Each structure stands twice: as C-alpha cells, then as structure tokens.
Amino acid sequence: MMPTDEAKPDAESSEPPAPQRPSRAGRDLKAAIGVGVGIGIVVIATLFLYRPAFAIIVGLAVVLAINELQSAVRTGGVEVPRWPILIGGAAMLVASWFWGLQGLVIALLATFLAVIFGRMRGPLHGYLASTATGLFITIYVPFLAGFAVLLTKPENGEQLVLTWAIAVVCSDTGGYASGVLFGKHPMAPRISPKKSWEGFAGSVVLAGIAGALLYELLLGFPWWLGVLYGAIVAVFAVTGDLLESIIKRDVGVKDMGSLLPGHGGAMDRMDSLLLTAPAAYVLLSATPAIVNALG
C-alpha cells in the first residue's frame, strides 16, 4: 500500500537547517556598528557638554581594560597585583588632568613602585614575571590612556580629541572594508591571519583623507599636514591592533571579554586607540610650531 501524502515526511522540516556562514570579518557587523555609534555619541556629548565627564569615561574604560588584561594573563599563568594597578591607573588619569604630562609620569613611577611592593606579599616564585607584566599593563593601559586626557586640556580640546578619535575610527574602518573586499596578502599571518596589506593600505588611505579634512576644516591647519598625520595615526593604530593580537595568542584567549557586542571586551575596542593617543598628542602639539616654521 502506497503511503498517502499525509504520511510522507516533510522534506523541508526533516532536513537540518543550513549552517550560517560567518562573515569574512568574523564578527557581528550590525552589533559592532550599533555599539560603535553609541560610544561615539556618548564621547561627543561629554566632550561638548561637560569635558571632565570625558575623562571619567576614559577612567571607566581603563578600569575595565585593566581587569580584562589581568584576567587574560592569569589564564596564561601569571598573577599580577590587582589593586596597585587599578588605584595607580586611576591616579595617573587624575594626575594628567590636574598636572599634565609631568603629573602623568610621576604617577606612573609611583604606580610602578606600588606594584613592586605589592607583589612582595605573594610567593617569591614568579616575582619577576609578575612585576614585569604588571609594569607592562600599567604602561599599556592607564599611561597611554592618560594622553587622551591630556588632549582635552587645551582650549580647543574637543577638536583635538575628535581629530584623534575620528582618525583612528577611519583607520579601523578603512582597514576593515579594504581587507574584506580586497585582502589577499597576509600582513602578519602568525599574529592575525585576517590582517592583510590591502587592509593596511585602506587604513592609511582613509585615515589620511580624514586627517586632511580634520586639519583643514576643524583645526585650520594645511590639509597636507593632515594627510601625514592620518597616515602616522594609521600605522600606530594597526600596530596597536597587532599588539593586542600577540597578547591574546600568547595567553590563549580569543577575546579579552564580551562586554561590547560585535567588539569583544573593552580592551578589544581600545587596542588601536591606546597606542595612537601619545602619537596624536605629540603630532597635534607639534603642528602649530611646524606651521609657524613653514611661514
């Protein structure tokens, strides 16, 4: 007896759903864009409504990033003194706000001493690795972030911070788009297989264009200096991204955290921002003198 139509299994329902193919970017693009736009709105609002609030946001990001790095290196078998770095990191940002670059450096030295003495309470085994890693975290996160606070101090601090942040965002965006569309030649396959020289070129080009527009329209400097500024920022941004990839591969984690959908942890969002902050501070501080020297 032939089975009736009702007895036939539904071919469509019996087949397992086709697995979704991950994007070439390896992340949730919609979530990444949404989170990025939200962060941008908060940063712009704090800069123009109440500038000290921007420094507070930087401080919160630094605390989150320090915790993520400490957890990551703990996974790799290294324990670092938590509270000396957290308290010292906050003190470094406060010092940079009130006393500038000199205050930031003095607070860095004080934090390093606190890490040295704080680690003495633990076992002697691994002391050197622990203190060296603690110093690295102290420099990598709060010290570099202190330059973002320093950028807000001049009278045109809002414009300087935007010139830094927008150039970094354009570098990341240009690298992402160019890498997805044209990436064929790996830049550092052992460190980050998805990084390509085509993506790096996209970072430099888009950051250079952004730098030209920002210098000309926002700061009133020659556009060609902005091109150089944007290209240098892109180099530091890509280097910062690679540096974080090295750290993650060394300790064996995929992401530093899961706080930000589409991005990972706070550290995953800050990697390119941190290394570019001192570079942007030096370049933007030196630009007026360069313009005056050129006449």
Side-chain angles (χ1 to χ4, degrees):
M1 179 177 179
M2 297 295 294
T4 64
D5 290 341
E6 289 78 3
K8 292 181 181 179
D10 188 346
E12 293 185 358
S13 62
S14 62
E15 293 181 358
Q20 293 182 346
R21 296 180 61 187
S23 68
R24 291 183 63 184
R27 58 175 175 170
D28 187 338
L29 184 57
K30 291 183 179 179
I33 293 175
V35 170
V37 170
I39 293 174
I41 292 173
V42 171
V43 168
I44 293 173
T46 56
L47 278 174
F48 286 93
L49 295 178
Y50 186 60
R51 215 185 300 182
F54 172 75
I56 294 174
I57 290 176
V58 173
L60 292 175
V62 163
V63 169
L64 292 171
I66 289 174
N67 276 323
E68 290 175 357
L69 270 175
Q70 288 177 327
S71 298
V73 298
R74 189 180 299 116
T75 301
V78 179
E79 289 283 347
V80 295
R82 180 183 181 189
W83 289 108
I85 299 176
L86 284 173
I87 296 174
M92 289 162 65
L93 298 182
V94 172
S96 63
W97 178 266
F98 287 104
W99 298 290
L101 182 58
Q102 184 178 7
L104 176 61
V105 173
I106 292 174
L108 169 64
L109 295 176
T111 303
F112 178 47
L113 291 175
V115 170
I116 290 176
F117 288 112
R119 180 56 179 81
M120 286 181 179
R121 300 176 58 187
L124 294 180
H125 178 72
Y127 177 84
L128 183 59
S130 179
T131 53
T133 304
L135 177 59
F136 173 78
I137 294 174
T138 301
I139 295 175
Y140 185 32
V141 182
F143 179 72
L144 296 184
F147 286 91
V149 175
L150 292 176
L151 283 171
T152 68
K153 294 301 293 176
E155 185 177 348
N156 64 337
E158 301 93 339
Q159 288 83 3
L160 296 179
V161 171
L162 288 178
T163 301
W164 159 62
I166 291 174
V168 174
V169 170
C170 287
S171 171
D172 289 346
T173 304
Y176 167 79
S178 184
V180 168
L181 294 174
F182 310 111
K184 292 182 179 179
H185 300 88
M187 186 178 185
R190 291 191 307 114
I191 300 172
S192 182
K194 293 181 180 179
K195 280 279 185 295
S196 65
W197 286 108
E198 292 83 0
F200 175 69
S203 293
V204 172
V205 169
L206 193 56
I209 293 173
L213 294 174
L214 290 164
Y215 261 50
E216 183 77 27
L217 302 178
L218 193 61
L219 301 179
F221 295 138
W223 64 269
W224 59 271
L225 282 175
V227 173
L228 294 176
Y229 163 82
I232 294 173
V233 165
V235 171
F236 278 88
V238 173
T239 303
D241 195 15
L242 290 173
L243 175 58
E244 198 211 10
S245 294
I246 291 175
I247 296 171
K248 290 191 291 188
R249 287 188 175 276
D250 185 29
V251 300
V253 298
K254 182 179 184 297
D255 289 316
M256 289 294 182
S258 57
L259 177 67
L260 304 174
H263 294 270
M267 194 63 226
D268 294 302
R269 180 62 275 171
M270 293 172 63
D271 53 2
S272 53
L273 290 166
L274 285 172
L275 212 60
T276 55
Y281 175 78
V282 171
L283 292 170
L284 292 171
S285 299
T287 297
I290 295 173
V291 173
N292 290 334
L294 295 175

